[in-house]
Amino acid sequence: MTAADPARSSPRMPLVLASASPRRLALLQQIGVDPDTLLPADIDETPRRGETPRALAQRLARTKAEVARRAADRVEENVDGLVLAADTVVAVGRRILPKAETFEEAEACLQLLSGRGHRVYTAVCVSAPRDVIRQRLVETRVRFKRLSRAEIAAYLESGEWRGKAGGYAIQGLAAAFVVKLTGSYANVVGLPLHETANLLAGLKYPLLDAWRDPASIRP
């Protein structure tokens, strides 16, 4: 009889994802992390007066984590687990672009981003038991080509922009607009994977367990 592998014998730590974003869920699953529960945190995301894009992303991610933590702790199975939250902010200089919900908002975003660089900030926050909080902020620089009226009109008609920070989805049609990207691509999609994996591993989440069972990893 062989000795048990300590990495396999430890109980699985519950993980709550404080997001309804299918993109963030898919990114987590890409690295073998499948949250046990989805608990989207419905909060006011309005920037405060004078708030920088970096500060906004960090505040919203932490607030989402705190709100979801309180909800998660009402279920016994989640009390000893982790809560993962994130927020993505797109900015041109100090100007924060909205998560476009209307045609007009998306059009204004695309016109502003056309032919220039912008920055994408994603803050990742993990809440652990006993009020332990770990947070990271990741910045990616993106430059768009100069967009023609026809390109903007066609992209708006696609509807892909709806609900997206900055009015575009880099993992979709808008990839055709990107001239240069410096930093994490996953960060622009909505969750920087290297930093997220490090945060989870640092809080003893058994990240590598799924890697030992390839059948459990979703394509």
Side-chain angles (χ1 to χ4, degrees):
M1 180 181 294
T2 58
D5 181 348
R8 294 172 184 268
S9 60
S10 58
R12 188 178 186 282
M13 181 181 292
L15 177 65
V16 173
L17 177 61
S19 175
S21 167
R23 300 173 299 283
R24 290 197 177 114
L25 178 59
L27 284 167
L28 280 175
Q29 291 170 339
Q30 180 182 325
I31 58 171
V33 177
D34 212 348
D36 300 275
T37 307
L38 302 181
L39 280 179
D42 185 15
I43 66 170
D44 181 3
E45 300 190 11
T46 305
R48 294 172 177 168
R49 184 173 182 179
E51 191 168 34
T52 66
R54 298 170 64 92
L56 175 64
Q58 291 174 308
R59 176 173 65 84
L60 294 183
R62 180 157 187 150
T63 302
K64 288 177 181 179
E66 291 170 345
V67 169
R69 175 90 258 170
R70 290 193 291 270
D73 285 348
R74 298 189 190 106
V75 179
E76 185 177 355
E77 290 78 6
N78 294 327
V79 171
D80 294 324
L82 302 178
V83 173
L84 171 65
D87 192 82
T88 300
V89 172
V90 174
V92 176
R94 290 177 60 94
R95 179 173 177 179
I96 296 168
L97 276 63
K99 293 177 180 174
E101 295 295 347
T102 67
F103 190 95
E104 291 75 20
E105 282 183 330
E107 183 176 34
C109 286
L110 292 172
Q111 289 174 344
L112 181 64
L113 296 175
S114 175
R116 65 167 58 180
H118 61 278
R119 302 189 185 205
V120 180
Y121 302 94
T122 298
V124 183
C125 186
V126 181
S127 169
R130 293 174 289 279
D131 298 322
V132 174
I133 295 283
R134 297 287 185 271
Q135 189 164 336
R136 290 289 304 276
L137 178 73
V138 180
E139 173 188 328
T140 302
R141 300 182 184 186
V142 184
R143 177 172 290 277
F144 271 15
K145 61 176 282 188
R146 186 167 297 281
L147 304 177
S148 67
R149 290 182 180 179
E151 287 171 322
I152 291 176
Y155 190 72
L156 291 172
E157 287 177 16
S158 77
E160 186 181 80
W161 48 268
R162 195 173 301 279
K164 307 296 193 303
Y168 75 93
I170 196 171
Q171 71 275 21
L173 301 171
F177 302 158
V178 178
V179 173
K180 185 177 182 180
L181 185 149
T182 304
S184 167
Y185 170 83
N187 180 55
V188 185
V189 179
L191 192 69
L193 292 179
H194 168 68
E195 292 77 9
T196 299
N198 282 350
L199 284 174
L200 292 174
L203 291 168
K204 309 304 181 185
Y205 184 81
L207 179 68
L208 303 183
D209 281 6
W211 295 19
R212 298 184 176 97
D213 181 14
S216 71
I217 300 177
R218 302 191 184 196

